[in-house]
């Protein structure tokens, strides 16, 4: 664990979902490629999809289709992706090792927690209920009323729902988008090295600490 944080007491932790709590890469890649095949486009490798993730599914599909594809065609591919992913989002997805024990310990300590994701809101809620039953106080995803990360809207909505204060809230994520979001929201950013981006990306994005195992988060509280 790379730890540079000064000692502060925290009572709220906000978690990114994809690449932080859940390894969703294979299911996302499968649904991306289903949509691409359905629309007659070349498919993408899992590593390509990994690089495309982080700014919501609309951006994911825009990056996945051939360069120069017009917006109407991108929207068609996106709807195809959404329909497939809704029915197949848990085929291969699972929590990273150590995540469930961490969440259970946070709950035992009375730490408030929420999921903040650029995945569409209904999917976030479904995954939270099915993968982490009773372990989160709130879950927020992409919606018409909240701008996606790196805008701070989703973070602010979660903090309002929890009655959280910025100075006592940690933001935990795996990407440069998360780092920018945390900065925009005025929160301390903890990067996780097991997700979809490399450590150097997290550090460049402003991570005040980078952890290698979920249990290391407890030392920051």
């Amino acid at each position: 664990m790379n730890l540079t944080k000064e000692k502060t007491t925290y009572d709220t932790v906000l978690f990114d979902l994809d690449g932080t709590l859940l390894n969703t890469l294979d299911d996302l890649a499968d649904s991306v490629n289903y949509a691409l095949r359905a629309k007659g486009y070349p498919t993408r490798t899992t590593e390509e999809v990994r690089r495309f993730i982080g700014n919501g599914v609309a951006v994911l599909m825009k990056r996945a289709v051939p360069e120069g594809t017009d917006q109407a065609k991108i929207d068609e591919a996106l709807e195809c992706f959404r329909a497939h992913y809704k029915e197949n989002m848990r085929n291969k997805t699972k929590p990273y090792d150590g995540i469930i024990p961490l969440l259970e310990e946070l709950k035992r300590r009375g730490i408030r927690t929420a999921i903040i994701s650029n995945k569409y809101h209904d999917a976030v809620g479904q995954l939270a209920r099915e993968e982490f039953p009773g372990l989160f106080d709130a879950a927020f995803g992409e919606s018409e009323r909240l701008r996606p990360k790196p805008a701070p809207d989703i973070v602010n909505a979660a903090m309002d729902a929890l009655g959280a204060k910025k100075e006592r809230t940690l933001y935990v994520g795996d990407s440069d988008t998360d780092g920018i979001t945390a900065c925009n929201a005025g929160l301390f950013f903890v990067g996780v090295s097991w997700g979809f981006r490399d450590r150097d990306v997290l550090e460049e994005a402003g991570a005040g600490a980078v952890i290698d195992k979920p249990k290391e988060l407890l030392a920051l509280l």
Side-chain angles (χ1 to χ4, degrees), residues 84-152:
H84 186 269
Y85 189 68
K86 182 178 180 180
E87 301 299 325
N88 295 276
M89 69 174 70
R90 297 184 67 212
N91 291 348
K92 302 172 183 176
T93 288
K94 62 180 181 178
Y96 288 100
D97 290 345
I99 287 294
I100 296 297
L102 169 65
L103 296 176
E104 290 173 340
E105 177 61 18
L106 293 177
K107 192 166 188 67
R108 188 189 70 79
R109 295 187 185 191
I111 303 295
R112 293 173 292 193
T113 57
I115 296 173
I116 47 172
S117 174
N118 273 348
K119 191 187 293 292
Y120 51 99
H121 186 74
D122 288 347
V124 174
Q126 181 179 342
L127 287 169
R129 289 188 302 271
E130 295 177 352
E131 298 288 347
F132 310 110
L135 293 177
F136 279 99
D137 300 302
F140 288 84
E142 174 191 340
S143 69
E144 292 183 359
R145 68 184 185 87
L146 299 174
R147 292 178 296 168
K149 298 184 291 184

Side-chain angles (χ1 to χ4, degrees), residues 5 13-14 20 51 67 71 74 111 117 145 186 211-212:
K5 179 188 144 312
V13 183
L14 306 182
T20 301
R51 294 196 301 270
E67 186 175 355
Q71 189 59 51
I74 296 173
I111 303 295
S117 174
R145 68 184 185 87
I211 60 175
D212 300 310

Side-chain angles (χ1 to χ4, degrees), residues 41-210:
Y41 301 132
T43 57
R44 295 290 192 168
T45 67
T46 301
E47 282 306 305
E48 285 177 315
V49 174
R50 181 195 296 273
R51 294 196 301 270
F52 298 159
I53 294 169
N55 297 94
V57 294
V59 176
L60 169 60
M61 286 309 304
K62 183 175 182 178
R63 292 168 174 168
V65 300
E67 186 175 355
T69 302
D70 66 64
Q71 189 59 51
K73 297 295 185 181
I74 296 173
D75 290 343
E76 290 178 4
L78 176 59
E79 288 309 306
C80 187
F81 165 88
R82 285 182 183 272
H84 186 269
Y85 189 68
K86 182 178 180 180
E87 301 299 325
N88 295 276
M89 69 174 70
R90 297 184 67 212
N91 291 348
K92 302 172 183 176
T93 288
K94 62 180 181 178
Y96 288 100
D97 290 345
I99 287 294
I100 296 297
L102 169 65
L103 296 176
E104 290 173 340
E105 177 61 18
L106 293 177
K107 192 166 188 67
R108 188 189 70 79
R109 295 187 185 191
I111 303 295
R112 293 173 292 193
T113 57
I115 296 173
I116 47 172
S117 174
N118 273 348
K119 191 187 293 292
Y120 51 99
H121 186 74
D122 288 347
V124 174
Q126 181 179 342
L127 287 169
R129 289 188 302 271
E130 295 177 352
E131 298 288 347
F132 310 110
L135 293 177
F136 279 99
D137 300 302
F140 288 84
E142 174 191 340
S143 69
E144 292 183 359
R145 68 184 185 87
L146 299 174
R147 292 178 296 168
K149 298 184 291 184
D153 298 31
I154 298 174
V155 173
N156 292 337
M159 292 181 66
D160 287 345
L162 299 178
K165 296 181 178 180
K166 291 183 178 183
E167 63 271 19
R168 301 190 68 181
T169 301
L170 289 179
Y171 182 118
V172 182
D174 74 302
S175 73
D176 44 341
T177 298
D178 290 313
I180 298 169
T181 304
C183 180
N184 289 340
L187 302 182
F188 186 90
F189 174 46
V190 180
V192 304
S193 66
W194 58 79
F196 298 159
R197 298 291 186 271
D198 294 332
R199 177 183 290 269
D200 60 338
V201 173
L202 299 173
E203 292 174 344
E204 290 174 7
V210 178

